[in-house]
Amino acid sequence: MRTKYAAGNWKMNMSFEDGQILFSEVTNMVKDEVVNPNVKVVMGVPAPYLSSFSKLINTEKVSIAAQNCYPKASGAYTGEVSVPMLKSAGVEYVIIGHSERREYFNETDAFIAEKVDAILAEGLTPIFCCGETLGQREEGVHFDFVKGQLTNSLFHLDADALQKVVIAYEPIWAIGTGVTASSDQAQEMHKELRAHLASKYGAEVAENISILYGGSVKPGNAPELFSQPDIDGGLVGGASLDSRGFTDIAKSF
Ligand code: PEP
């Protein structure tokens, strides 16, 4: 049985004080209300809050994630944060390859592959984001494009390492737009991606990998999305800033 995830991505939102309240509310609600033992709740908070908020976690059902990392362990990289630093702050998951980082910070598949290696080397879990633009979908190249992102950033891994990665399919046209991919569109891509993993690593390995959907997931659409056979949860942006709604998403499996 694959692990199911409700993963939140706060992006660059929330003051320290408001974030502390939100984080505590979620961890308390999840502790009391999420009964499915196969569900993991992950909150991706701004880097300066990681060390402090990780101490608020009061249940194994909740983990904290960083929204980025730098692939070098240490050195003269002013302003960057390494994976060993994140680990020492209590971080277990690192979101990488988000479309906003690819677009605004020119992150390439090759650079993201370096981050994958750095995260796995420290025993943390990468949440690897991928997804196509609206133009690519309209041209009909979306399957090949997203499969290419997986090939370029993940396919250098051996099977054991690959199975430690969580994949998040996030069609760019659905992120922060209020437009959600239909459950059929999302399932179709997830099935394609799992088949792509199986083509290199075999069906058994592919079956073990959690593939999340991201793009305007809300409490109202989560149950239908998460009921699809190849959708193992959500990477949630806007709706993760509301403790009640995010916890409800985590209860949608
Ligand atoms: C995201 O940023 O990963 C995301 C999916 O955002 P939203 O849920 O707001 O569309």
Side-chain angles (χ1 to χ4, degrees), residues 66-72 81-84 86-87 91-97 111-128 164-166:
Q67 299 174 16
N68 187 29
C69 66
Y70 195 68
K72 304 288 183 198
V81 179
S82 74
V83 183
L86 295 174
K87 188 176 180 176
V91 168
E92 292 178 67
Y93 292 80
V94 187
I95 299 169
I96 49 167
F111 186 51
I112 296 161
E114 285 183 50
K115 296 187 185 199
V116 169
D117 292 343
I119 295 163
L120 292 174
E122 290 300 321
L124 273 55
T125 302
I127 301 179
F128 170 80
K164 296 181 177 130
V165 176
V166 173

PDB file of all heavy atoms in Angstrom, residues 66-72 81-84 86-87 91-97 111-128 164-166:
ATOM      1  N   ALA A  66      11.003  21.543   3.795  1.00  0.00           N
ATOM      2  CA  ALA A  66      11.564  22.773   3.246  1.00  0.00           C
ATOM      3  C   ALA A  66      11.026  22.931   1.824  1.00  0.00           C
ATOM      4  O   ALA A  66      10.656  21.955   1.181  1.00  0.00           O
ATOM      5  CB  ALA A  66      13.083  22.695   3.232  1.00  0.00           C
ATOM      6  N   GLN A  67      11.008  24.163   1.352  1.00  0.00           N
ATOM      7  CA  GLN A  67      10.487  24.430  -0.003  1.00  0.00           C
ATOM      8  C   GLN A  67      11.596  24.474  -1.040  1.00  0.00           C
ATOM      9  O   GLN A  67      11.334  24.689  -2.232  1.00  0.00           O
ATOM     10  CB  GLN A  67       9.746  25.761  -0.023  1.00  0.00           C
ATOM     11  CG  GLN A  67       8.554  25.811   0.903  1.00  0.00           C
ATOM     12  CD  GLN A  67       7.937  27.204   0.949  1.00  0.00           C
ATOM     13  OE1 GLN A  67       8.192  28.047   0.106  1.00  0.00           O
ATOM     14  NE2 GLN A  67       7.112  27.439   1.943  1.00  0.00           N
ATOM     15  N   ASN A  68      12.829  24.288  -0.590  1.00  0.00           N
ATOM     16  CA  ASN A  68      13.973  24.373  -1.504  1.00  0.00           C
ATOM     17  C   ASN A  68      15.212  23.926  -0.751  1.00  0.00           C
ATOM     18  O   ASN A  68      15.201  23.795   0.477  1.00  0.00           O
ATOM     19  CB  ASN A  68      14.147  25.826  -1.973  1.00  0.00           C
ATOM     20  CG  ASN A  68      15.204  25.977  -3.042  1.00  0.00           C
ATOM     21  OD1 ASN A  68      15.459  25.058  -3.831  1.00  0.00           O
ATOM     22  ND2 ASN A  68      15.841  27.132  -3.071  1.00  0.00           N
ATOM     23  N   CYS A  69      16.279  23.694  -1.474  1.00  0.00           N
ATOM     24  CA  CYS A  69      17.583  23.448  -0.862  1.00  0.00           C
ATOM     25  C   CYS A  69      18.645  23.757  -1.905  1.00  0.00           C
ATOM     26  O   CYS A  69      18.334  23.920  -3.094  1.00  0.00           O
ATOM     27  CB  CYS A  69      17.718  21.982  -0.429  1.00  0.00           C
ATOM     28  SG  CYS A  69      17.740  20.813  -1.818  1.00  0.00           S
ATOM     29  N   TYR A  70      19.887  23.839  -1.443  1.00  0.00           N
ATOM     30  CA  TYR A  70      21.020  23.948  -2.370  1.00  0.00           C
ATOM     31  C   TYR A  70      21.765  22.619  -2.333  1.00  0.00           C
ATOM     32  O   TYR A  70      21.879  22.017  -1.266  1.00  0.00           O
ATOM     33  CB  TYR A  70      21.934  25.111  -1.947  1.00  0.00           C
ATOM     34  CG  TYR A  70      22.891  25.510  -3.035  1.00  0.00           C
ATOM     35  CD1 TYR A  70      22.423  26.113  -4.197  1.00  0.00           C
ATOM     36  CD2 TYR A  70      24.256  25.251  -2.930  1.00  0.00           C
ATOM     37  CE1 TYR A  70      23.298  26.465  -5.220  1.00  0.00           C
ATOM     38  CE2 TYR A  70      25.135  25.600  -3.947  1.00  0.00           C
ATOM     39  CZ  TYR A  70      24.647  26.205  -5.102  1.00  0.00           C
ATOM     40  OH  TYR A  70      25.512  26.533  -6.115  1.00  0.00           O
ATOM     41  N   PRO A  71      22.227  22.134  -3.473  1.00  0.00           N
ATOM     42  CA  PRO A  71      22.781  20.774  -3.474  1.00  0.00           C
ATOM     43  C   PRO A  71      24.157  20.590  -2.837  1.00  0.00           C
ATOM     44  O   PRO A  71      24.543  19.457  -2.561  1.00  0.00           O
ATOM     45  CB  PRO A  71      22.820  20.400  -4.965  1.00  0.00           C
ATOM     46  CG  PRO A  71      22.713  21.666  -5.715  1.00  0.00           C
ATOM     47  CD  PRO A  71      22.029  22.654  -4.833  1.00  0.00           C
ATOM     48  N   LYS A  72      24.909  21.658  -2.610  1.00  0.00           N
ATOM     49  CA  LYS A  72      26.215  21.495  -1.947  1.00  0.00           C
ATOM     50  C   LYS A  72      26.004  21.391  -0.437  1.00  0.00           C
ATOM     51  O   LYS A  72      25.082  22.017   0.108  1.00  0.00           O
ATOM     52  CB  LYS A  72      27.117  22.691  -2.233  1.00  0.00           C
ATOM     53  CG  LYS A  72      27.340  22.973  -3.697  1.00  0.00           C
ATOM     54  CD  LYS A  72      28.232  21.936  -4.349  1.00  0.00           C
ATOM     55  CE  LYS A  72      28.477  22.319  -5.803  1.00  0.00           C
ATOM     56  NZ  LYS A  72      28.962  21.190  -6.604  1.00  0.00           N
ATOM     57  N   VAL A  81      20.835  27.395   1.515  1.00  0.00           N
ATOM     58  CA  VAL A  81      20.620  26.503   2.656  1.00  0.00           C
ATOM     59  C   VAL A  81      20.858  25.070   2.188  1.00  0.00           C
ATOM     60  O   VAL A  81      20.255  24.620   1.205  1.00  0.00           O
ATOM     61  CB  VAL A  81      19.174  26.661   3.198  1.00  0.00           C
ATOM     62  CG1 VAL A  81      18.936  25.713   4.359  1.00  0.00           C
ATOM     63  CG2 VAL A  81      18.920  28.107   3.636  1.00  0.00           C
ATOM     64  N   SER A  82      21.741  24.359   2.879  1.00  0.00           N
ATOM     65  CA  SER A  82      22.088  22.996   2.449  1.00  0.00           C
ATOM     66  C   SER A  82      21.162  21.960   3.077  1.00  0.00           C
ATOM     67  O   SER A  82      20.475  22.235   4.065  1.00  0.00           O
ATOM     68  CB  SER A  82      23.537  22.685   2.827  1.00  0.00           C
ATOM     69  OG  SER A  82      23.624  22.466   4.224  1.00  0.00           O
ATOM     70  N   VAL A  83      21.217  20.754   2.532  1.00  0.00           N
ATOM     71  CA  VAL A  83      20.386  19.675   3.079  1.00  0.00           C
ATOM     72  C   VAL A  83      20.839  19.274   4.489  1.00  0.00           C
ATOM     73  O   VAL A  83      19.981  19.083   5.358  1.00  0.00           O
ATOM     74  CB  VAL A  83      20.345  18.468   2.113  1.00  0.00           C
ATOM     75  CG1 VAL A  83      19.425  17.385   2.666  1.00  0.00           C
ATOM     76  CG2 VAL A  83      19.872  18.901   0.731  1.00  0.00           C
ATOM     77  N   PRO A  84      22.146  19.167   4.779  1.00  0.00           N
ATOM     78  CA  PRO A  84      22.512  18.873   6.173  1.00  0.00           C
ATOM     79  C   PRO A  84      21.979  19.928   7.145  1.00  0.00           C
ATOM     80  O   PRO A  84      21.588  19.599   8.275  1.00  0.00           O
ATOM     81  CB  PRO A  84      24.051  18.874   6.141  1.00  0.00           C
ATOM     82  CG  PRO A  84      24.388  18.498   4.733  1.00  0.00           C
ATOM     83  CD  PRO A  84      23.321  19.124   3.884  1.00  0.00           C
ATOM     84  N   LEU A  86      19.179  21.638   6.765  1.00  0.00           N
ATOM     85  CA  LEU A  86      17.743  21.361   6.895  1.00  0.00           C
ATOM     86  C   LEU A  86      17.516  20.172   7.826  1.00  0.00           C
ATOM     87  O   LEU A  86      16.643  20.203   8.692  1.00  0.00           O
ATOM     88  CB  LEU A  86      17.126  21.075   5.519  1.00  0.00           C
ATOM     89  CG  LEU A  86      17.140  22.252   4.531  1.00  0.00           C
ATOM     90  CD1 LEU A  86      16.638  21.800   3.166  1.00  0.00           C
ATOM     91  CD2 LEU A  86      16.299  23.408   5.051  1.00  0.00           C
ATOM     92  N   LYS A  87      18.332  19.147   7.639  1.00  0.00           N
ATOM     93  CA  LYS A  87      18.183  17.952   8.481  1.00  0.00           C
ATOM     94  C   LYS A  87      18.374  18.317   9.952  1.00  0.00           C
ATOM     95  O   LYS A  87      17.620  17.865  10.821  1.00  0.00           O
ATOM     96  CB  LYS A  87      19.214  16.916   8.036  1.00  0.00           C
ATOM     97  CG  LYS A  87      19.050  15.569   8.683  1.00  0.00           C
ATOM     98  CD  LYS A  87      20.050  14.596   8.094  1.00  0.00           C
ATOM     99  CE  LYS A  87      19.922  13.229   8.713  1.00  0.00           C
ATOM    100  NZ  LYS A  87      20.835  12.272   8.075  1.00  0.00           N
ATOM    101  N   VAL A  91      13.953  18.828   9.505  1.00  0.00           N
ATOM    102  CA  VAL A  91      13.242  18.652   8.232  1.00  0.00           C
ATOM    103  C   VAL A  91      13.348  17.202   7.755  1.00  0.00           C
ATOM    104  O   VAL A  91      14.411  16.586   7.848  1.00  0.00           O
ATOM    105  CB  VAL A  91      13.854  19.606   7.172  1.00  0.00           C
ATOM    106  CG1 VAL A  91      13.365  19.264   5.772  1.00  0.00           C
ATOM    107  CG2 VAL A  91      13.523  21.043   7.521  1.00  0.00           C
ATOM    108  N   GLU A  92      12.229  16.676   7.227  1.00  0.00           N
ATOM    109  CA  GLU A  92      12.230  15.311   6.683  1.00  0.00           C
ATOM    110  C   GLU A  92      11.977  15.283   5.177  1.00  0.00           C
ATOM    111  O   GLU A  92      12.321  14.305   4.512  1.00  0.00           O
ATOM    112  CB  GLU A  92      11.161  14.467   7.390  1.00  0.00           C
ATOM    113  CG  GLU A  92      11.467  14.184   8.848  1.00  0.00           C
ATOM    114  CD  GLU A  92      10.347  13.386   9.489  1.00  0.00           C
ATOM    115  OE1 GLU A  92      10.141  12.215   9.125  1.00  0.00           O
ATOM    116  OE2 GLU A  92       9.643  13.975  10.341  1.00  0.00           O
ATOM    117  N   TYR A  93      11.319  16.296   4.660  1.00  0.00           N
ATOM    118  CA  TYR A  93      10.961  16.349   3.228  1.00  0.00           C
ATOM    119  C   TYR A  93      11.460  17.667   2.637  1.00  0.00           C
ATOM    120  O   TYR A  93      11.488  18.684   3.332  1.00  0.00           O
ATOM    121  CB  TYR A  93       9.444  16.288   3.049  1.00  0.00           C
ATOM    122  CG  TYR A  93       8.822  14.959   3.424  1.00  0.00           C
ATOM    123  CD1 TYR A  93       8.578  14.633   4.757  1.00  0.00           C
ATOM    124  CD2 TYR A  93       8.481  14.033   2.435  1.00  0.00           C
ATOM    125  CE1 TYR A  93       8.018  13.398   5.104  1.00  0.00           C
ATOM    126  CE2 TYR A  93       7.914  12.806   2.783  1.00  0.00           C
ATOM    127  CZ  TYR A  93       7.688  12.503   4.119  1.00  0.00           C
ATOM    128  OH  TYR A  93       7.135  11.296   4.457  1.00  0.00           O
ATOM    129  N   VAL A  94      11.825  17.627   1.347  1.00  0.00           N
ATOM    130  CA  VAL A  94      12.220  18.863   0.662  1.00  0.00           C
ATOM    131  C   VAL A  94      11.497  18.918  -0.686  1.00  0.00           C
ATOM    132  O   VAL A  94      11.619  17.995  -1.506  1.00  0.00           O
ATOM    133  CB  VAL A  94      13.744  18.936   0.425  1.00  0.00           C
ATOM    134  CG1 VAL A  94      14.113  20.313  -0.134  1.00  0.00           C
ATOM    135  CG2 VAL A  94      14.526  18.670   1.713  1.00  0.00           C
ATOM    136  N   ILE A  95      10.730  19.987  -0.867  1.00  0.00           N
ATOM    137  CA  ILE A  95      10.040  20.201  -2.154  1.00  0.00           C
ATOM    138  C   ILE A  95      11.080  20.727  -3.143  1.00  0.00           C
ATOM    139  O   ILE A  95      11.789  21.702  -2.845  1.00  0.00           O
ATOM    140  CB  ILE A  95       8.902  21.231  -1.989  1.00  0.00           C
ATOM    141  CG1 ILE A  95       7.858  20.736  -0.972  1.00  0.00           C
ATOM    142  CG2 ILE A  95       8.248  21.532  -3.347  1.00  0.00           C
ATOM    143  CD1 ILE A  95       6.847  21.808  -0.544  1.00  0.00           C
ATOM    144  N   ILE A  96      11.175  20.094  -4.295  1.00  0.00           N
ATOM    145  CA  ILE A  96      12.129  20.571  -5.317  1.00  0.00           C
ATOM    146  C   ILE A  96      11.464  20.546  -6.692  1.00  0.00           C
ATOM    147  O   ILE A  96      10.520  19.790  -6.928  1.00  0.00           O
ATOM    148  CB  ILE A  96      13.426  19.728  -5.356  1.00  0.00           C
ATOM    149  CG1 ILE A  96      13.093  18.237  -5.395  1.00  0.00           C
ATOM    150  CG2 ILE A  96      14.336  20.072  -4.199  1.00  0.00           C
ATOM    151  CD1 ILE A  96      14.292  17.386  -5.755  1.00  0.00           C
ATOM    152  N   GLY A  97      11.982  21.388  -7.565  1.00  0.00           N
ATOM    153  CA  GLY A  97      11.481  21.389  -8.940  1.00  0.00           C
ATOM    154  C   GLY A  97      10.135  22.048  -9.101  1.00  0.00           C
ATOM    155  O   GLY A  97       9.468  21.875 -10.135  1.00  0.00           O
ATOM    156  N   PHE A 111      20.014  20.584 -12.614  1.00  0.00           N
ATOM    157  CA  PHE A 111      20.234  21.156 -11.274  1.00  0.00           C
ATOM    158  C   PHE A 111      19.307  20.472 -10.262  1.00  0.00           C
ATOM    159  O   PHE A 111      19.703  20.157  -9.138  1.00  0.00           O
ATOM    160  CB  PHE A 111      19.980  22.663 -11.333  1.00  0.00           C
ATOM    161  CG  PHE A 111      20.298  23.415 -10.077  1.00  0.00           C
ATOM    162  CD1 PHE A 111      21.520  23.268  -9.443  1.00  0.00           C
ATOM    163  CD2 PHE A 111      19.385  24.295  -9.517  1.00  0.00           C
ATOM    164  CE1 PHE A 111      21.827  23.979  -8.281  1.00  0.00           C
ATOM    165  CE2 PHE A 111      19.676  25.012  -8.366  1.00  0.00           C
ATOM    166  CZ  PHE A 111      20.898  24.853  -7.742  1.00  0.00           C
ATOM    167  N   ILE A 112      18.092  20.202 -10.685  1.00  0.00           N
ATOM    168  CA  ILE A 112      17.134  19.535  -9.797  1.00  0.00           C
ATOM    169  C   ILE A 112      17.613  18.107  -9.502  1.00  0.00           C
ATOM    170  O   ILE A 112      17.470  17.606  -8.385  1.00  0.00           O
ATOM    171  CB  ILE A 112      15.714  19.591 -10.415  1.00  0.00           C
ATOM    172  CG1 ILE A 112      15.269  21.054 -10.500  1.00  0.00           C
ATOM    173  CG2 ILE A 112      14.724  18.774  -9.590  1.00  0.00           C
ATOM    174  CD1 ILE A 112      14.130  21.313 -11.467  1.00  0.00           C
ATOM    175  N   ALA A 113      18.233  17.469 -10.488  1.00  0.00           N
ATOM    176  CA  ALA A 113      18.803  16.124 -10.261  1.00  0.00           C
ATOM    177  C   ALA A 113      19.881  16.180  -9.174  1.00  0.00           C
ATOM    178  O   ALA A 113      19.978  15.276  -8.339  1.00  0.00           O
ATOM    179  CB  ALA A 113      19.392  15.577 -11.562  1.00  0.00           C
ATOM    180  N   GLU A 114      20.671  17.238  -9.168  1.00  0.00           N
ATOM    181  CA  GLU A 114      21.699  17.382  -8.112  1.00  0.00           C
ATOM    182  C   GLU A 114      21.035  17.502  -6.741  1.00  0.00           C
ATOM    183  O   GLU A 114      21.525  16.987  -5.744  1.00  0.00           O
ATOM    184  CB  GLU A 114      22.538  18.644  -8.349  1.00  0.00           C
ATOM    185  CG  GLU A 114      23.539  18.553  -9.470  1.00  0.00           C
ATOM    186  CD  GLU A 114      24.365  19.842  -9.546  1.00  0.00           C
ATOM    187  OE1 GLU A 114      24.896  20.299  -8.512  1.00  0.00           O
ATOM    188  OE2 GLU A 114      24.448  20.402 -10.650  1.00  0.00           O
ATOM    189  N   LYS A 115      19.925  18.227  -6.699  1.00  0.00           N
ATOM    190  CA  LYS A 115      19.209  18.380  -5.424  1.00  0.00           C
ATOM    191  C   LYS A 115      18.651  17.031  -4.962  1.00  0.00           C
ATOM    192  O   LYS A 115      18.697  16.707  -3.770  1.00  0.00           O
ATOM    193  CB  LYS A 115      18.068  19.387  -5.558  1.00  0.00           C
ATOM    194  CG  LYS A 115      18.518  20.801  -5.868  1.00  0.00           C
ATOM    195  CD  LYS A 115      17.336  21.749  -5.821  1.00  0.00           C
ATOM    196  CE  LYS A 115      17.763  23.147  -6.245  1.00  0.00           C
ATOM    197  NZ  LYS A 115      16.833  24.187  -5.813  1.00  0.00           N
ATOM    198  N   VAL A 116      18.107  16.259  -5.910  1.00  0.00           N
ATOM    199  CA  VAL A 116      17.586  14.925  -5.573  1.00  0.00           C
ATOM    200  C   VAL A 116      18.685  14.125  -4.878  1.00  0.00           C
ATOM    201  O   VAL A 116      18.473  13.528  -3.809  1.00  0.00           O
ATOM    202  CB  VAL A 116      17.115  14.186  -6.852  1.00  0.00           C
ATOM    203  CG1 VAL A 116      16.815  12.713  -6.554  1.00  0.00           C
ATOM    204  CG2 VAL A 116      15.893  14.868  -7.466  1.00  0.00           C
ATOM    205  N   ASP A 117      19.872  14.115  -5.464  1.00  0.00           N
ATOM    206  CA  ASP A 117      20.982  13.336  -4.901  1.00  0.00           C
ATOM    207  C   ASP A 117      21.367  13.844  -3.509  1.00  0.00           C
ATOM    208  O   ASP A 117      21.623  13.057  -2.600  1.00  0.00           O
ATOM    209  CB  ASP A 117      22.204  13.414  -5.826  1.00  0.00           C
ATOM    210  CG  ASP A 117      21.950  12.695  -7.146  1.00  0.00           C
ATOM    211  OD1 ASP A 117      21.006  11.897  -7.211  1.00  0.00           O
ATOM    212  OD2 ASP A 117      22.703  12.949  -8.103  1.00  0.00           O
ATOM    213  N   ALA A 118      21.419  15.169  -3.365  1.00  0.00           N
ATOM    214  CA  ALA A 118      21.818  15.750  -2.073  1.00  0.00           C
ATOM    215  C   ALA A 118      20.798  15.396  -0.987  1.00  0.00           C
ATOM    216  O   ALA A 118      21.167  15.092   0.157  1.00  0.00           O
ATOM    217  CB  ALA A 118      21.949  17.267  -2.207  1.00  0.00           C
ATOM    218  N   ILE A 119      19.539  15.410  -1.335  1.00  0.00           N
ATOM    219  CA  ILE A 119      18.473  15.114  -0.358  1.00  0.00           C
ATOM    220  C   ILE A 119      18.531  13.640   0.048  1.00  0.00           C
ATOM    221  O   ILE A 119      18.503  13.295   1.230  1.00  0.00           O
ATOM    222  CB  ILE A 119      17.090  15.481  -0.956  1.00  0.00           C
ATOM    223  CG1 ILE A 119      17.000  16.995  -1.188  1.00  0.00           C
ATOM    224  CG2 ILE A 119      15.960  15.000  -0.052  1.00  0.00           C
ATOM    225  CD1 ILE A 119      15.872  17.414  -2.125  1.00  0.00           C
ATOM    226  N   LEU A 120      18.639  12.774  -0.946  1.00  0.00           N
ATOM    227  CA  LEU A 120      18.684  11.334  -0.646  1.00  0.00           C
ATOM    228  C   LEU A 120      19.945  10.978   0.143  1.00  0.00           C
ATOM    229  O   LEU A 120      19.910  10.104   1.013  1.00  0.00           O
ATOM    230  CB  LEU A 120      18.613  10.524  -1.944  1.00  0.00           C
ATOM    231  CG  LEU A 120      17.267  10.590  -2.686  1.00  0.00           C
ATOM    232  CD1 LEU A 120      17.367   9.865  -4.024  1.00  0.00           C
ATOM    233  CD2 LEU A 120      16.133   9.990  -1.855  1.00  0.00           C
ATOM    234  N   ALA A 121      21.047  11.656  -0.139  1.00  0.00           N
ATOM    235  CA  ALA A 121      22.309  11.369   0.563  1.00  0.00           C
ATOM    236  C   ALA A 121      22.176  11.626   2.060  1.00  0.00           C
ATOM    237  O   ALA A 121      22.858  11.002   2.870  1.00  0.00           O
ATOM    238  CB  ALA A 121      23.438  12.213  -0.017  1.00  0.00           C
ATOM    239  N   GLU A 122      21.288  12.523   2.448  1.00  0.00           N
ATOM    240  CA  GLU A 122      21.079  12.830   3.874  1.00  0.00           C
ATOM    241  C   GLU A 122      19.923  12.025   4.469  1.00  0.00           C
ATOM    242  O   GLU A 122      19.543  12.243   5.625  1.00  0.00           O
ATOM    243  CB  GLU A 122      20.811  14.330   4.054  1.00  0.00           C
ATOM    244  CG  GLU A 122      22.024  15.209   3.807  1.00  0.00           C
ATOM    245  CD  GLU A 122      23.183  14.902   4.755  1.00  0.00           C
ATOM    246  OE1 GLU A 122      22.932  14.645   5.941  1.00  0.00           O
ATOM    247  OE2 GLU A 122      24.336  14.899   4.289  1.00  0.00           O
ATOM    248  N   GLY A 123      19.311  11.163   3.659  1.00  0.00           N
ATOM    249  CA  GLY A 123      18.210  10.346   4.168  1.00  0.00           C
ATOM    250  C   GLY A 123      16.893  11.084   4.260  1.00  0.00           C
ATOM    251  O   GLY A 123      15.968  10.643   4.938  1.00  0.00           O
ATOM    252  N   LEU A 124      16.784  12.229   3.579  1.00  0.00           N
ATOM    253  CA  LEU A 124      15.521  12.969   3.541  1.00  0.00           C
ATOM    254  C   LEU A 124      14.752  12.576   2.279  1.00  0.00           C
ATOM    255  O   LEU A 124      15.300  11.902   1.387  1.00  0.00           O
ATOM    256  CB  LEU A 124      15.798  14.481   3.556  1.00  0.00           C
ATOM    257  CG  LEU A 124      15.944  15.144   4.934  1.00  0.00           C
ATOM    258  CD1 LEU A 124      16.995  14.484   5.791  1.00  0.00           C
ATOM    259  CD2 LEU A 124      16.245  16.633   4.787  1.00  0.00           C
ATOM    260  N   THR A 125      13.512  13.006   2.203  1.00  0.00           N
ATOM    261  CA  THR A 125      12.657  12.625   1.077  1.00  0.00           C
ATOM    262  C   THR A 125      12.416  13.807   0.160  1.00  0.00           C
ATOM    263  O   THR A 125      11.857  14.821   0.601  1.00  0.00           O
ATOM    264  CB  THR A 125      11.289  12.105   1.593  1.00  0.00           C
ATOM    265  OG1 THR A 125      11.525  10.999   2.461  1.00  0.00           O
ATOM    266  CG2 THR A 125      10.382  11.676   0.444  1.00  0.00           C
ATOM    267  N   PRO A 126      12.795  13.685  -1.122  1.00  0.00           N
ATOM    268  CA  PRO A 126      12.459  14.751  -2.067  1.00  0.00           C
ATOM    269  C   PRO A 126      10.993  14.649  -2.486  1.00  0.00           C
ATOM    270  O   PRO A 126      10.494  13.557  -2.735  1.00  0.00           O
ATOM    271  CB  PRO A 126      13.356  14.465  -3.292  1.00  0.00           C
ATOM    272  CG  PRO A 126      14.125  13.222  -2.983  1.00  0.00           C
ATOM    273  CD  PRO A 126      13.567  12.601  -1.749  1.00  0.00           C
ATOM    274  N   ILE A 127      10.323  15.786  -2.544  1.00  0.00           N
ATOM    275  CA  ILE A 127       9.011  15.847  -3.203  1.00  0.00           C
ATOM    276  C   ILE A 127       9.286  16.539  -4.536  1.00  0.00           C
ATOM    277  O   ILE A 127       9.481  17.763  -4.589  1.00  0.00           O
ATOM    278  CB  ILE A 127       7.970  16.613  -2.359  1.00  0.00           C
ATOM    279  CG1 ILE A 127       7.792  15.933  -1.000  1.00  0.00           C
ATOM    280  CG2 ILE A 127       6.629  16.699  -3.111  1.00  0.00           C
ATOM    281  CD1 ILE A 127       6.794  16.625  -0.062  1.00  0.00           C
ATOM    282  N   PHE A 128       9.357  15.730  -5.567  1.00  0.00           N
ATOM    283  CA  PHE A 128       9.833  16.183  -6.874  1.00  0.00           C
ATOM    284  C   PHE A 128       8.642  16.651  -7.723  1.00  0.00           C
ATOM    285  O   PHE A 128       7.766  15.860  -8.072  1.00  0.00           O
ATOM    286  CB  PHE A 128      10.557  15.025  -7.577  1.00  0.00           C
ATOM    287  CG  PHE A 128      10.885  15.304  -9.018  1.00  0.00           C
ATOM    288  CD1 PHE A 128      11.986  16.072  -9.353  1.00  0.00           C
ATOM    289  CD2 PHE A 128      10.073  14.814 -10.031  1.00  0.00           C
ATOM    290  CE1 PHE A 128      12.287  16.343 -10.681  1.00  0.00           C
ATOM    291  CE2 PHE A 128      10.364  15.080 -11.365  1.00  0.00           C
ATOM    292  CZ  PHE A 128      11.472  15.847 -11.688  1.00  0.00           C
ATOM    293  N   LYS A 164      12.456   6.103  -2.830  1.00  0.00           N
ATOM    294  CA  LYS A 164      12.428   7.052  -1.699  1.00  0.00           C
ATOM    295  C   LYS A 164      11.930   8.427  -2.140  1.00  0.00           C
ATOM    296  O   LYS A 164      11.837   9.346  -1.335  1.00  0.00           O
ATOM    297  CB  LYS A 164      13.827   7.160  -1.090  1.00  0.00           C
ATOM    298  CG  LYS A 164      14.250   5.830  -0.495  1.00  0.00           C
ATOM    299  CD  LYS A 164      15.615   5.894   0.150  1.00  0.00           C
ATOM    300  CE  LYS A 164      15.928   4.546   0.794  1.00  0.00           C
ATOM    301  NZ  LYS A 164      17.242   4.033   0.412  1.00  0.00           N
ATOM    302  N   VAL A 165      11.631   8.565  -3.424  1.00  0.00           N
ATOM    303  CA  VAL A 165      11.195   9.861  -3.963  1.00  0.00           C
ATOM    304  C   VAL A 165       9.667   9.909  -3.990  1.00  0.00           C
ATOM    305  O   VAL A 165       9.011   8.916  -4.323  1.00  0.00           O
ATOM    306  CB  VAL A 165      11.748  10.053  -5.397  1.00  0.00           C
ATOM    307  CG1 VAL A 165      11.238  11.345  -6.024  1.00  0.00           C
ATOM    308  CG2 VAL A 165      13.281  10.030  -5.392  1.00  0.00           C
ATOM    309  N   VAL A 166       9.115  11.054  -3.643  1.00  0.00           N
ATOM    310  CA  VAL A 166       7.681  11.314  -3.854  1.00  0.00           C
ATOM    311  C   VAL A 166       7.586  12.244  -5.061  1.00  0.00           C
ATOM    312  O   VAL A 166       8.326  13.237  -5.147  1.00  0.00           O
ATOM    313  CB  VAL A 166       7.060  11.984  -2.602  1.00  0.00           C
ATOM    314  CG1 VAL A 166       5.618  12.403  -2.872  1.00  0.00           C
ATOM    315  CG2 VAL A 166       7.126  11.047  -1.398  1.00  0.00           C
TER     316      VAL A 166
END
